Amino acid sequence: MDTMRAMVLEKCGVIEENPLKLTQIDRHEIQRPNEILLKIEACGVCHSQLHGIEGDWQDIGIPPQLPTVPGHEVVGKVIEIGENVTKFKVGDRAGITPLLEACRKCQYCKEGKEYLCESSTITGESFKGGYTEYITVTEDFATKVPENMKPEYAAPLFCAGITAYKAVKAAEPESHKKIGIFGIGGVGHMAVQFAKIKDCDVIAVSRTQNHLDIAKRLGAIDAMTFSENQEGFLEKLKEKHGMLDAAIVFAPADVVTDTAIKSVKKGGLIVIATVGKNPAFMAFEEKTIRGTLIGSTADMEKVIKVCDEENIEVITEIFPLEKANEVLKKLKDSKIEARAVLIP
């Protein structure tokens, strides 16, 4: 059997100890008639993968098995198709989100919410991850990518892009709605742009000045430095903008989620697109707290269409596959401007 290079995680550990090891593993091959085989051109590096690799989320079953090949936002060229495939032909470009597969039979799948399927398979939580050279997927869970989109542009759309799009959609955007986006990185910088398309007034919040500068350049009406001094931050926000109509949280820190909730007016809406503890919540204020998780295949197709038509900017830095540990360390230290992309 042919082999391929892969960055394999045998055991969870802090990224400073280089837990990902460059390994030769069996190359994926088409096993079912509805599968396609992709030669991976690019794989985005997501912050949630860092948490999985370091073992931060083992209490919620992530990663579900070891060893594993991480990487869940993948774009590649179709080099082989199963005999029943009709959606793709050899030579097409396709992408895969974190949702590698779902049952297609349960209530969620029938409602078009296959990303909530209880028996779903997640990209990057088995040997079917993107930190390698080839991957197979059933045609129903791959999305066509226009030939004019560069792989390093398209790959981040398959997690960061769809997460940002879905979170903004969940915030019920409308003209001049005042939306705070907490966390401006690989996901947040795209959320700013999706909200601007809907003519929202975006207030960006981040700890990092570089990220705040990016948010302003991409259309935020203001960019505020987050402070652990919650009372001081909220006072400054109210002074400059009043209470927010809605907030979207991408920063995986409970203090940020709590501050976001308190920054929204009574009856307002908070969208949480990260993992954390349940924050304090005053029911009498009639605020709505809504969780969000990537999106459906139909959502992914809309993301590709919107990004193509609206010229959404995707800020990326490119690295070779072998540098995965180093890249994740840079991400941990907030030294990645927005989205890092690995090229096999």
Side-chain angles (χ1 to χ4, degrees), residues 36-214:
I36 61 174
L37 174 64
L38 296 182
K39 187 178 192 308
I40 295 173
E41 296 178 296
C43 181
V45 180
C46 182
H47 207 286
S48 65
Q49 296 277 253
L50 177 63
H51 287 291
I53 289 164
E54 294 200 312
D56 297 340
W57 291 350
Q58 286 180 304
D59 60 328
I60 57 172
I62 299 174
Q65 67 179 67
L66 290 169
T68 184
V69 176
H72 60 219
E73 44 187 50
V74 182
V75 164
K77 282 280 190 181
V78 179
I79 61 168
E80 187 181 338
I81 62 173
E83 60 185 21
N84 292 348
V85 170
T86 58
K87 184 175 172 183
F88 296 93
K89 65 182 186 301
V90 171
D92 285 348
R93 178 172 281 139
I96 309 171
T97 73
L99 182 65
L100 187 68
E101 199 164 325
C103 75
R104 288 294 198 189
K105 298 174 183 175
C106 69
Q107 172 190 347
Y108 301 118
C109 287
K110 288 177 179 177
E111 291 174 351
K113 298 178 180 178
E114 60 269 21
Y115 51 90
L116 297 177
C117 177
E118 298 283 1
S119 58
S120 61
T121 302
I122 306 303
T123 317
E125 294 188 356
S126 67
F127 276 114
K128 286 269 193 87
Y131 292 7
T132 184
E133 295 179 293
Y134 298 88
I135 191 168
T136 55
V137 61
T138 61
E139 64 174 340
D140 288 344
F141 289 93
T143 302
K144 283 190 176 181
V145 175
E147 196 58 40
N148 64 302
M149 276 191 183
K150 292 182 178 179
E152 63 269 25
Y153 174 96
L157 300 181
F158 282 83
C159 178
I162 192 170
T163 298
Y165 173 85
K166 182 84 174 313
V168 170
K169 183 179 174 183
E172 300 175 6
E174 56 187 49
S175 184
H176 294 299
K177 186 168 186 174
K178 204 178 343 175
I179 298 182
I181 297 179
F182 289 74
I184 306 297
V187 182
H189 87 282
M190 284 191 250
V192 170
Q193 297 174 80
F194 287 131
K196 285 302 295 179
I197 288 171
K198 295 293 186 179
D199 198 32
C200 298
D201 295 333
V202 177
I203 295 99
V205 182
S206 176
R207 300 177 194 267
T208 310
Q209 185 59 47
N210 187 34
H211 290 161
L212 296 174
D213 293 342
I214 288 169

Side-chain angles (χ1 to χ4, degrees), residues 4-20:
M4 61 184 182
R5 292 153 50 247
M7 296 300 289
V8 177
L9 180 70
E10 295 274 354
K11 180 182 178 184
C12 291
V14 293
I15 204 65
E16 289 83 357
E17 295 176 358
N18 299 320
L20 296 172

